[in-house]
Each structure stands twice: as structure tokens, then as C-alpha cells.
Amino acid sequence: MPILVTGGAGFIGSHTCVELLNSNYEIIILDNFSNSNIESLNRLKELTGKNFEVYDVDLLDKENVDNIFKENHIEAVIHFAGLKAVGESVEKPNYYYQNNVTGTLVLTEMMQKYNVYNLVFSSSATVYGIPKAVPISEDFPLIATNPYGRTKLMIEKILRDLNVSNKDWSIASLRYFNPIGAHESGLIGEDPKGIPNNLMPYITQVATGKLPELSVFGNDYSTPDGTGVRDYIHVVDLAKGHIKALEKVLSTNGVESYNLGTGQGYSVLELVDAFEKASGQKIPYKIAPRRPGDIAECYADPSKAERELDWKSEKSLEEMCLDSWRWQERNPDGYLSKTVEIK
Ligand code: NAD
Ligand code: UD1
């Protein structure tokens, strides 16, 4: 029986599909390509040598989502589909609540209708708001500070209510820290539209010369070098965490949240330094004012995932930098590029 992957054409979804296919799961992808390119799925086929069904469907389109469940005996859903830009969510809250929250309500309604109760959901470390301490464990207070974060928090709460209403539900909410890196083939990776908001894609575009320099947002935080500290995790490690979470939801009932991070924080300047060493490229930067809404330090206590999912991250910061760079160098214009062969 297939696994339905919503948002499977996106950054984390495509990497998870590689791991699913390599573990011999049958998959079906639902995506409306609002923030992705069908080319990622062509690359996925090339990379794995496997085929799968793709539905170009919006989660808000109830009739077509219903048809997917009608046509397929779905065993479980991994739900990545969602909008994720914090700044945009402040400007367009309605769009974010509709897309993320209503989209999830349509999905779970169809799951109930067709008796599919196994779900892995993409949450985020953003649900911890400004954490009271680090490392952050799952029992910390949950307070979102922007509409994007609130959609994640609301969905987590809705999923808990579903489990209260019907104990057949088996749900894992995965709270990702900062995914970076790319598949080591250089065939798939992160492909942000326009100027990147996040640090690693910004750095790789400075490295190719597409952007002139990096702005480091603040060097007066109470961290060792004054710049923000985050828990960067290789996207392939993150993808493997989904396979473990899927195995768990398929074998138990209940609802649980798990941090997926490395447990190790690195500052902006440490990441820049690691990237320069791994890529051999110089990253010019300037110190700029703090970005509104940023926190000083954020890194996970990932021990619950290790204990209960038998998962922990394996890849080093150097591998994250090397793989991010390989992807960017081979695909200077993301999926619109003709892949460049690197000697
Ligand atoms: P992404 O934008 O690359 O992938 C999301 C995919 O969902 C895209 O392919 C997009 O086209 C699709 N999508 C969006 N709305 C849809 C809809 N209504 N119907 C059908 N498809 C739709 O993002 P990503 O980085 O792969 O993130 C995946 C999930 O993980 C998101 O829910 C995101 O909020 C969450 N997350 C991401 C990060 C991160 O740093 N990348 C961190 C924490 C949580
Ligand atoms: C951001 C989001 C978070 C979301 C995550 C993944 C905000 C406030 N938070 O997290 O909700 O889950 O992305 O999509 O947007 N930095 C620079 N220069 C840059 C870009 C970033 O110095 O050009 C710094 C930031 O200040 C931060 C660190 O780099 O200290 C990481 O930033 P980023 O990659 O945007 O991730 P988060 O802010 O952790």
C-alpha cells in the first residue's frame, strides 16, 4: 500500500521521497508546485531509478484530494505541504492560515473518510517561540510569535484533538531545526524563489557570485561571537528521521512530537567559516542590524527521537556545507539550470 507524500516536490519532501523509494516504499506525491518545480521529480526518478504517481493538486481542492484517496489504498500520509516564509506570513496571514491550516483540515477529513489514520506531520522548532533555555526539549512551553509559527502550533493542537476523538489516529509531529545540505548526488536541493531568506542558500548564492555579500544580522547577541546560534541539520539526516517516524506510526497509536536536530549549535560566523573551508570559496560579509523576530540561540535536545524513534543525525557540518555547495555549483539557477558537470 502506498504512502501519500504531500509537498513531495519541495526541499525536504523530495529528499524524504529518495529515502522512501530506497527503502522500497511505494509513494504517491501530491503537490500544487506553488513553491517547487516538477523538475525535482524528474531528478528523483533519475536518482532512484523508480517511478511513482504524481498528482498536481492543491490541498484546498477537496474534490480532487478525495479522488486521490478513492483511487488509491493509502496506508499513511507524510504531510509536508505548506507555506513557510515567516515574513510573508506576517504580510499575508489569511493566505497562510488558509493554506496551512485549512489544507491540513481537508487532508485529515479525507483521511478519516477513507480510514487512513497514520500521519507524519512537518512541524517546526518555531513552535518554541523564544525558548527559556537551550537545549530545547519537547516539553518546553509552546508559543508561536508569527502567523507561520501559529499555523504549525494550531495544526499540532488539531492533530492532538483528532487523537482524542478517535484513538485509531497515529501521529508524529516532527519539529525540525534548521535543515541545510542537499543529496550528495547534487541532483536535488533547496531552490528558493527570489532572494533567499535563510542563511545557507544566501551563502551559496554569494559563493556563486549571484549575490554580492552576506549581511550578518547582528553581532551583539549573548552568544560566544555575538552572532545567532542555530542547530543546522543535514536534510538527508532529516529525511531518514521521517522513515523512522513512519515506522513508528505504522506500528503504534497515539500522538507524539519529536525534535529533529543535531543537538549542536553553530553561530553565523562559524557556518560561514565552515562553508569557506569546505568549498574553497570566500564569502564576503558585513555586519547588519538584527533581523526583527530573530532569537539569539536555538538548538535541540534530540534525545527523545533517539530513544523512541531510534534516530539520530550523523552528518557533520562539513558534509552539510560540501553538499549545499555541490548542489548550488551544479545548479546555479536551481531546477531551471541545466545541470553543470563538475570535474
Ligand atoms: P518547500 O516549500 O520546499 O516544500 C513545500 C511543498 O509544499 C512545495 O513543493 C509546495 O509547492 C507544496 N505546497 C504548498 N502548499 C500546498 C498546497 N496547498 N497544496 C499542495 N501542495 C502545496 O518547503 P520545505 O522546506 O520542503 O518544507 C516542508 C515542510 O516543512 C513545510 O511544511 C515547512 O513549513 C516545514 N518546515 C520547513 C523548515 C525549513 O527550514 N525548510 C523548517 C521547519 C519546518
Ligand atoms: C527561519 C525562520 C523560522 C523557520 C526557519 C526555516 C525567522 C525569524 N525564522 O529560522 O521560523 O522555521 O527559518 O525556514 O525567519 N542570518 C543572517 N543573514 C541572512 C540570513 C540569516 O545573518 O541573510 C542569520 C539569522 O539571523 C539567524 C541564522 O542566520 O541567526 C539562521 O537564519 P535562518 O536560516 O533564516 O533560520 P532561522 O532564523 O533560524
Side-chain angles (χ1 to χ4, degrees):
M1 278 160 74
I3 309 299
L4 175 66
V5 184
T6 76
F11 172 43
I12 306 169
S14 58
H15 286 81
T16 302
C17 287
V18 171
E19 300 305 320
L20 286 165
L21 292 166
N22 288 343
S23 306
N24 291 321
Y25 283 99
E26 191 189 333
I27 64 167
I28 293 169
I29 293 179
L30 175 162
D31 205 301
N32 67 355
F33 301 99
S34 58
N35 197 39
S36 51
N37 190 307
I38 188 114
E39 176 61 14
S40 70
L41 302 182
N42 299 333
R43 304 270 184 100
L44 197 52
K45 289 179 183 169
E46 187 185 335
L47 192 55
T48 60
K50 295 194 176 167
N51 212 346
F52 44 83
E53 195 81 48
V54 179
Y55 289 88
D56 181 353
V57 164
D58 193 310
L59 263 188
L60 298 174
D61 175 355
K62 210 180 213 177
E63 203 180 312
N64 273 314
V65 177
D66 191 327
N67 285 337
I68 298 176
F69 280 88
K70 205 180 294 166
E71 287 167 15
N72 302 279
H73 288 288
I74 291 165
E75 186 174 21
V77 179
I78 307 185
H79 178 32
F80 295 100
L83 298 167
K84 61 167 184 178
V86 173
E88 187 186 47
S89 81
V90 175
E91 285 158 26
K92 302 176 184 170
N94 214 303
Y95 178 43
Y96 269 68
Y97 289 119
Q98 275 285 356
N99 192 81
N100 293 5
V101 180
T102 311
T104 304
L105 289 173
V106 170
L107 176 69
T108 52
E109 184 187 333
M110 290 308 144
M111 290 177 73
Q112 290 185 97
K113 182 170 170 190
Y114 290 92
N115 295 313
V116 181
Y117 291 108
N118 301 311
L119 176 65
V120 177
F121 168 62
S122 295
S123 187
S124 167
T126 195
V127 297
Y128 297 115
I130 302 168
K132 61 179 186 245
V134 278
I136 302 167
S137 57
E138 288 81 354
D139 55 7
F140 271 34
L142 304 179
I143 332 141
T145 55
N146 54 66
Y148 164 69
R150 272 187 281 279
T151 68
K152 293 294 175 193
L153 197 46
M154 281 178 192
I155 295 168
E156 280 206 27
K157 290 186 171 163
I158 290 168
L159 299 180
R160 286 189 180 270
D161 289 340
L162 288 177
N163 176 259
V164 170
S165 74
N166 181 341
K167 294 293 173 203
D168 287 340
W169 278 102
S170 182
I171 301 170
S173 288
L174 305 181
R175 296 176 181 158
Y176 313 151
F177 282 68
N178 289 57
I180 60 170
H183 192 269
E184 63 179 8
S185 62
L187 279 174
I188 57 171
E190 188 170 11
D191 184 18
K193 290 202 165 123
I195 296 176
N197 294 312
N198 297 119
L199 181 58
M200 182 55 102
Y202 204 104
I203 289 177
T204 59
Q205 293 195 15
V206 171
T208 59
K210 215 172 172 181
L211 295 168
E213 66 177 351
L214 172 72
S215 293
V216 174
F217 297 145
N219 66 349
D220 56 353
Y221 286 105
S222 58
T223 59
D225 65 18
T227 66
V229 168
R230 297 290 183 275
D231 186 338
Y232 298 98
I233 175 166
H234 197 295
V235 66
V236 171
D237 277 337
L238 193 66
K240 288 180 176 163
H242 290 73
I243 309 298
K244 294 291 192 176
L246 178 65
E247 286 167 3
K248 168 97 176 178
V249 299
L250 289 174
S251 59
T252 51
N253 292 342
V255 53
E256 289 290 344
S257 305
Y258 297 99
N259 286 343
L260 296 188
T262 66
Q264 166 82 51
Y266 289 101
S267 74
V268 176
L269 294 181
E270 283 174 324
L271 188 67
V272 169
D273 186 52
F275 184 85
E276 286 184 338
K277 288 200 173 101
S279 67
Q281 305 295 311
K282 190 90 199 120
I283 304 300
Y285 69 83
K286 64 164 191 256
I287 304 298
R290 291 183 180 194
R291 181 171 64 179
D294 272 359
I295 53 178
E297 255 189 319
C298 174
Y299 56 91
D301 170 355
S303 59
K304 183 178 176 192
E306 184 170 358
R307 241 180 4 256
E308 296 186 16
L309 300 180
D310 186 30
W311 171 88
K312 70 176 173 44
S313 68
E314 288 169 350
K315 290 181 181 279
S316 65
L317 190 67
E318 187 188 1
E319 287 170 286
M320 299 182 214
C321 292
L322 272 172
D323 292 339
S324 291
W325 176 231
R326 187 180 303 107
W327 155 253
Q328 183 73 71
E329 199 184 16
R330 289 193 70 181
N331 306 275
D333 295 313
Y335 287 114
L336 297 177
S337 322
K338 224 173 139 19
T339 304
V340 179
E341 283 304 327
I342 308 293
K343 296 207 182 70

